[in-house]
Amino acid sequence: MRATLKIENRTKYRTEDLRAFVVRAREQVFGDERRPLMVKFVPARRYASGHATVNGSRSLVRVPPNVDRFVLAQIIVHELAHNAGARGERWMRRSKQFGFRHPEWRESVAWADGMLLELKPAAPKLTPAEKLERLLTRAEVMRKHWSTRAKRANTALRSWTQRVHRIERRMAALKAAEVGGAQ
């Protein structure tokens, strides 16, 4: 079975670059063992941090603007270590391999020095005509959607109106039979 590596990127950095960091960190933590992993990158305001399931497959990494490559690599390694089963946060933070409190922690992620971490290319700025074209397309799609819903609503309304009339006729016939039978 081939392991899968899913990356969800909501940051301003290129997904390919973040994937390369995860692949390298996975090699450091798991060695040759391939395990399905899902790593989600989200923007952070100030500090890089993360969260992962112990003995699981999901990790979340918060990436601030202008993040240091070494810090990003160490956060990813730390979270993947949780996925591998590492628990005790105290010893992990003091360890050279998984934490930041050891004076030589950067040596364990020296591989991050040569890795790319580039910003995504800026989206092209739309002209006013292109913006209006997008708005028109969206409006046409929504008009069609609500037109279909209106047709369905009218059909349902007609059906329920007919049902009410049938029930009212049956009730009138029943009352007429009761009045005729009482005399």
Side-chain angles (χ1 to χ4, degrees):
M1 182 179 108
R2 196 168 170 195
T4 59
L5 177 61
K6 294 182 182 179
I7 304 292
E8 185 179 328
N9 181 16
R10 295 185 181 175
T11 67
K12 62 181 184 173
Y13 296 103
R14 291 181 20 181
T15 305
E16 300 82 30
D17 296 345
L18 294 174
R19 177 181 294 277
F21 272 83
V22 173
V23 166
R24 184 62 186 90
R26 181 175 67 177
E27 289 172 3
Q28 181 175 334
V29 173
F30 293 104
D32 291 337
E33 178 190 346
R34 294 291 181 246
R35 159 187 297 200
L37 293 173
M38 200 301 224
V39 182
K40 183 177 185 179
F41 291 93
V42 296
R45 291 188 182 181
R46 280 193 188 156
Y47 306 109
S49 63
H51 180 77
T53 55
V54 175
N55 284 325
S57 62
R58 296 181 177 270
S59 297
L60 173 82
V61 178
R62 294 176 195 90
V63 184
N66 305 321
V67 67
D68 178 32
R69 284 177 177 78
F70 292 104
V71 171
L72 177 63
Q74 191 69 2
I75 292 286
I76 295 170
V77 166
H78 181 92
E79 300 312 325
L80 293 185
H82 283 305
N83 291 146
R87 291 182 187 268
E89 197 64 32
R90 283 185 179 175
W91 77 263
M92 283 182 69
R93 289 185 184 191
R94 287 191 306 257
S95 75
K96 179 180 176 181
Q97 187 177 5
F98 301 128
F100 293 95
R101 293 194 181 145
H102 192 280
E104 300 168 0
W105 69 267
R106 286 184 181 261
E107 292 175 10
S108 68
V109 288
W111 49 264
D113 189 27
M115 301 202 59
L116 289 177
L117 187 59
E118 297 177 352
L119 300 177
K120 293 177 186 174
K125 191 161 185 167
L126 299 176
T127 65
E130 291 171 332
K131 287 180 184 178
L132 286 176
E133 187 64 35
R134 279 192 177 180
L135 287 173
L136 178 62
T137 303
R138 174 73 175 151
E140 288 171 347
V141 166
M142 292 308 295
R143 180 178 64 180
K144 183 178 178 186
H145 168 76
W146 286 104
S147 171
T148 302
R149 290 193 80 166
K151 286 179 186 177
R152 287 182 177 176
N154 285 334
T155 301
L157 183 61
R158 213 172 27 250
S159 172
W160 285 106
T161 302
Q162 290 172 356
R163 182 174 282 181
V164 166
H165 287 307
R166 281 195 304 268
I167 294 171
E168 286 175 346
R169 281 195 307 262
R170 287 173 58 192
M171 285 179 62
L174 187 61
K175 284 182 183 179
E178 287 177 0
V179 171
Q183 291 179 355

